[in-house]
Amino acid sequence: MGKIRKKIALIFGITGQDGSYLSELLLKKNYIIHGVKRRSSSANTERIDHLFDSLNFSNKNFFIHYGDISDGTSTLNIINKVKPDEIYNLAAQSHVRVSFDVPEYTADVTALGALRILESIRILNLKKTKYYQASSSEMYGLVKKKKSLNEKTPFHPRSVYGISKVFAFNATVHYREAYNIFACNGILFNHESPRRGPTFVTKKIVQGLVRIQKGLQNKLTLGNLYAVRDWGHAKDYAISMWKILQYKKPDDWVIATNKDQTVKKFIDLVAKKLNIPLKWRGKGINEKGINKINGKVIVDLDKKFLRPSEVDFLKGDFSKAKKHLKWSPGISTDQLIDDMINEELSIY
Ligand code: NAP
Ligand code: GDD
């Protein structure tokens, strides 16, 4: 009997939160993984260092290539060299607030980066290569009714990040329709984990409140407390990415928990778990979270963390994925917060 050929996956954005969980999942599924990492002056592989020999940039089933999706030639060359069965495009300038500061760069990487990969698949005539695009609930933007959003809900992005993701979403659909490429969008709602970047709100809250509890920080300064998000665990969402590419036909899928919470509620939940006695006082930008016992301000607000236009409400209806992909979130918000707190506590 001949040996079964291992599947080959190429991951753009392998050093990010999702890239690390997806790599772990695919290694368990016996894939050979190639990842693309951009050059940085300090180490940017800490989320995946446990998966490979970082000095040699490889192990038996795991290879890292230097590249950048703002560089079309290197993107095409890597895809040509690896000839993957599956490409996961997780690479992006992924911070919504930062996209107001660097709009042109965000569009180059987040919108045109996806196009460069899709064009490479087309030019190289890779008929069997499947493509996953990391699309985002940020594309919905301004929603008319505060109800669960699904694959049919129209997009009205509120940032250049959101606009760029809509471009990449449409490019993915276009390459599927025009060139018959197995190209799919996962419209993922917010997902978090201990590996979340420190400037995203959940990580900032957990890190800040743990440090306050340990006496290492006095207060946490935030922006809009009343934005509503649907927060899942990145580990669950990596499974959905893989399932999307294993489905019998290419399609677009909402991945979410269908639960919603405000930023303020998230703070309350974390504070409660850390036994920080928190009460709220004041209104608008003067609202403050105060330690009930000693009256000290633990949370305050600063305009610099507000956005010129905000996405007020995100909650996702994942019933299509549940029915056809048999995907549902396995980790609750409560467990997500425990996971994030435990990781943070283990540092000190
Ligand atoms: P992340 O932690 O910010 O990771 C982004 C990855 O993209 C990193 O590996 C980053 O490399 C890489 N990257 C950035 N610019 C690049 C470039 N020019 N060329 C090549 N690689 C580049 O984001 P994440 O949370 O894992 O999210 C993964 C993807 O899903 C992103 O596209 C994001 O926009 C999208 N998404 C995320 C969520 C969420 O809630 N997490 C929801 C919906 C969609 P460095 O490590 O060098 O920075
Ligand atoms: N980052 C941040 N920092 N957000 C804050 C802060 C703060 O100090 N204070 C309040 N917020 C509010 C933001 O205004 C936003 O409404 C909400 O908290 C969540 O912000 P982020 O955690 O930065 O996430 P995001 O929803 O803007 O974007 C994330 O989710 C998208 C999917 O909906 C990112 O992961 C995107 O890449 C992803 O596409």
Side-chain angles (χ1 to χ4, degrees), residues 248-262:
K248 60 185 176 214
K249 63 180 178 69
D251 207 341
D252 309 317
W253 307 88
V254 162
I255 301 296
T257 70
N258 210 4
K259 300 218 161 50
D260 58 285
Q261 327 231 22
T262 58

Side-chain angles (χ1 to χ4, degrees), residues 20-121:
S20 68
Y21 285 112
L22 182 66
S23 298
E24 284 171 5
L25 178 79
L26 296 185
L27 282 174
K28 271 197 210 121
K29 291 190 180 294
N30 221 13
Y31 277 62
I32 293 173
I33 297 181
H34 291 260
V36 177
K37 155 193 150 54
R38 29 179 207 166
R39 198 267 159 184
S40 60
S41 65
S42 54
N44 64 352
T45 54
E46 61 269 16
R47 294 186 180 103
I48 51 168
D49 278 340
H50 58 295
L51 299 177
F52 72 115
D53 171 354
S54 50
L55 288 181
N56 291 317
F57 263 29
S58 68
N59 75 11
K60 210 159 64 54
N61 295 317
F62 196 89
F63 304 90
I64 295 290
H65 308 256
Y66 275 116
D68 195 306
I69 56 167
S70 64
D71 179 338
T73 320
S74 78
T75 301
L76 184 126
N77 277 336
I78 292 168
I79 295 173
N80 188 32
K81 200 154 112 190
V82 174
K83 297 204 169 55
D85 298 290
E86 296 170 8
I87 295 179
Y88 295 87
N89 177 24
L90 314 182
Q93 190 303 89
S94 72
H95 203 286
V96 175
R97 179 67 190 85
V98 172
S99 78
F100 289 94
D101 302 328
V102 287
E104 203 177 313
Y105 172 76
T106 301
D108 189 12
V109 174
T110 307
L112 294 183
L115 184 71
R116 290 182 184 106
I117 300 174
L118 285 161
E119 259 299 90
S120 302
I121 299 173

Side-chain angles (χ1 to χ4, degrees), residues 94 136-137 161 190 196 199 201 204 223-224 227 229 307 310:
S94 72
S136 163
S137 50
Y161 170 80
N190 297 50
R196 188 58 145 151
T199 60
V201 81
K204 190 172 163 185
N224 179 9
R229 289 292 182 274
R307 296 163 185 193
E310 175 65 287

Side-chain angles (χ1 to χ4, degrees), residues 206-217 341-348:
V206 171
Q207 210 167 50
L209 291 184
V210 164
R211 287 176 59 83
I212 288 167
Q213 192 222 42
K214 297 271 164 209
L216 299 166
Q217 184 174 322
I341 289 179
N342 289 339
E343 159 79 14
E344 210 55 47
L345 285 172
S346 74
I347 300 170
Y348 305 104

Side-chain angles (χ1 to χ4, degrees), residues 176 180-185 244 247-253:
R176 179 165 82 215
N180 217 13
I181 292 172
F182 195 109
C184 308
N185 285 290
I244 285 170
Y247 193 60
K248 60 185 176 214
K249 63 180 178 69
D251 207 341
D252 309 317
W253 307 88

